[in-house]
Amino acid sequence: MSFDECYIKSVMRTIADWPEPGVMFRDITPLFKDPKALRMIADAFIQRYIDTEVTHIASIDARGFLFGSIIAYQLNLPLVLVRKKGKLPGKTIHREYALEYGTAAVEMQIDAVAEGDKVLIFDDLIATGGTILAASTIIKELGAEVYEAAALIDLPDLHGSELIQQSNIPVFTLLAYEGL
């Protein structure tokens, strides 16, 4: 099944003024109720990464888990989790990143990836890029290489993709929404 951007955008919802006034929230939850849309998205990512050197998929908490697990399963690759700080058992490494209203932190287990691994970082959306950049820092500190950052949606007005690319990490997204 070929990817149809117009169809995918017609299935998604935009919710104005959520979670705060002035924000246009891009709601992906309707995609999971539509098998055709979900298949299109999964197939597009699978086709992009099927013949690559990617060895691991690192999915970002929490919506990144939804697509990342599908892609990892279909590509027969390990799925490693990038979670909010304090959510993973065992020894972890964490990194903070800036938010518009403060800071947050993500963590990974210290044995999630290792030297020689080529990791695809997967999230649902790229806004400011902080979460992906924090995840990439952890992955590199654990000795692995970041192959690419992938997401369903890019919000180019927030310049996150630019910041990620300026860190020498290629970026791939299926959709972009201009305007906040």
Side-chain angles (χ1 to χ4, degrees):
M1 182 178 303
S2 61
F3 183 75
D4 182 342
E5 180 177 346
C6 291
Y7 181 77
I8 300 301
K9 283 186 171 182
S10 76
V11 174
M12 288 184 51
R13 284 188 295 214
T14 299
I15 300 173
D17 299 319
W18 196 87
E20 58 187 56
V23 173
M24 299 295 285
F25 184 78
R26 308 304 178 177
D27 183 13
I28 66 168
T29 57
L31 297 172
F32 296 98
K33 296 189 300 183
D34 187 316
K36 178 180 174 183
L38 189 56
R39 172 58 64 189
M40 278 185 193
I41 293 164
D43 286 353
F45 284 114
I46 291 162
Q47 289 304 310
R48 178 164 180 87
Y49 298 110
I50 197 164
D51 289 323
T52 65
E53 297 178 348
V54 171
T55 63
H56 291 70
I57 307 288
S59 281
I60 295 180
D61 197 343
R63 291 181 301 266
F65 295 168
L66 299 171
F67 291 113
S69 61
I70 294 169
I71 307 310
Y73 174 78
Q74 290 294 324
L75 295 175
N76 197 33
L77 294 173
L79 178 72
V80 296
L81 304 181
V82 180
R83 299 227 43 205
K84 294 175 181 89
K85 186 178 176 192
K87 298 292 184 179
L88 287 172
K91 293 185 179 182
T92 62
I93 180 173
H94 75 276
R95 287 296 161 261
E96 290 188 357
Y97 60 98
L99 299 169
E100 298 151 28
Y101 47 85
T103 62
V106 292
E107 68 182 357
M108 292 179 73
Q109 292 171 322
I110 61 170
D111 61 352
V113 296
E115 188 174 334
D117 294 339
K118 295 182 185 201
V119 182
L120 171 65
I121 301 174
F122 203 97
D123 205 354
D124 66 319
L125 180 140
I126 298 173
T128 63
T131 312
I132 288 176
L133 288 170
S136 71
T137 299
I138 295 170
I139 289 165
K140 291 173 186 176
E141 287 179 10
L142 292 173
E145 174 187 332
V146 176
Y147 180 85
E148 190 165 80
L152 173 61
I153 301 166
D154 183 24
L155 301 178
D157 293 345
L158 298 178
H159 308 289
S161 289
E162 288 177 34
L163 288 174
I164 295 165
Q165 290 171 355
Q166 288 170 7
S167 295
N168 295 316
I169 300 170
V171 173
F172 177 75
T173 62
L174 293 177
L175 307 172
Y177 283 93
E178 302 285 338
L180 304 176

